[in-house]
Amino acid sequence: MLNALVTLAAEDAEHNPLLPAVYDIVWSAVCFVLILIVAWKVALPKVAKMLDERSAAIEGNIAKADEAQKQAEAALEEYTRQLAEARTEAGEIREAAREDGKKIVAEAKDAATVEATRVTASAQAQIEAERQSTLVALRSEVGTLAIDLAGGVVGETLSDDARANAVVDRFLADLEASDLRQAQVPGGGA
């Protein structure tokens, strides 16, 4: 095939096979210019408009993202501030509760002390009352026994109650005085 081209070129020496004909160049240039004008006037503005819209959308999204990030940072700062305030308030409440607890315990101790003192005083008064009633009952029984014994020793019944009571009281008084003397003497008694 190369031989055929070389032969054809030798026959047509005036015309170069590598260069197109002039009419082809002219019509190709006209088509190229028409395509260029159509692309310049129609396609290029549409592409530019689409790129501008896309650029504006991207810039808008970037602005929205920046605004959202600023809001998120502000919300984080607000949250951190509120958390710190809540911790401070919780500490204050905890401290107030401790103080109230201490006051309640102190009041309860005071009330318990007062109640214990009252109960102790009441018990002592009751013990003293029972002691006195026991002492009176004991004197009465000791007196009766002493009169019976004295009557048995003497051989007669002591019928005078006033006189018998006076004898019993004097005997008990002497007995108490004797106990007191023995308690006051060191080592005295038993």
Side-chain angles (χ1 to χ4, degrees):
M1 179 146 183
L2 190 54
N3 286 336
L5 280 177
V6 171
T7 311
L8 187 59
E11 290 175 1
D12 194 11
E14 296 176 11
H15 180 51
N16 187 353
L18 295 176
L19 289 175
V22 174
Y23 69 89
D24 283 339
I25 292 174
V26 171
W27 282 110
S28 295
V30 169
C31 288
F32 179 73
V33 169
L34 284 176
I35 290 172
L36 187 63
I37 290 171
V38 168
W40 192 275
K41 294 291 183 180
V42 176
L44 189 60
K46 286 184 180 179
V47 170
K49 181 180 175 187
M50 181 183 68
L51 289 176
D52 289 341
E53 288 173 356
R54 186 170 237 178
S55 174
I58 290 172
E59 288 175 3
N61 287 341
I62 289 172
K64 287 179 185 176
D66 287 343
E67 182 65 28
Q69 182 156 358
K70 287 178 185 176
Q71 289 176 352
E73 288 172 356
L76 179 63
E77 288 175 10
E78 179 69 17
Y79 172 75
T80 305
R81 184 186 60 77
Q82 288 178 349
L83 184 61
E85 287 177 2
R87 286 182 178 159
T88 303
E89 186 177 339
E92 290 171 357
I93 290 171
R94 196 172 29 249
E95 197 59 37
R98 282 188 189 128
E99 292 299 320
D100 288 347
K102 287 178 183 178
K103 287 178 185 175
I104 290 170
V105 167
E107 289 173 0
K109 283 182 180 179
D110 291 343
T113 303
V114 168
E115 182 65 19
T117 304
R118 186 191 64 77
V119 167
T120 303
S122 173
Q124 286 176 348
Q126 186 175 0
I127 289 170
E128 185 60 31
E130 287 180 11
R131 184 179 160 279
Q132 290 298 327
S133 69
T134 305
L135 188 58
V136 167
L138 186 61
R139 279 182 184 243
S140 172
E141 283 190 37
V142 167
T144 305
L145 285 174
I147 289 173
D148 288 344
L149 285 175
V153 170
V154 172
E156 60 183 81
T157 306
L158 299 173
S159 58
D160 185 12
D161 285 340
R163 192 165 149 201
N165 285 336
V167 169
V168 169
D169 288 340
R170 189 177 30 149
F171 172 74
L172 290 176
D174 289 342
L175 188 61
E176 286 178 2
S178 163
D179 286 342
L180 284 175
R181 274 184 262 132
Q182 285 180 354
Q184 289 174 353
V185 175

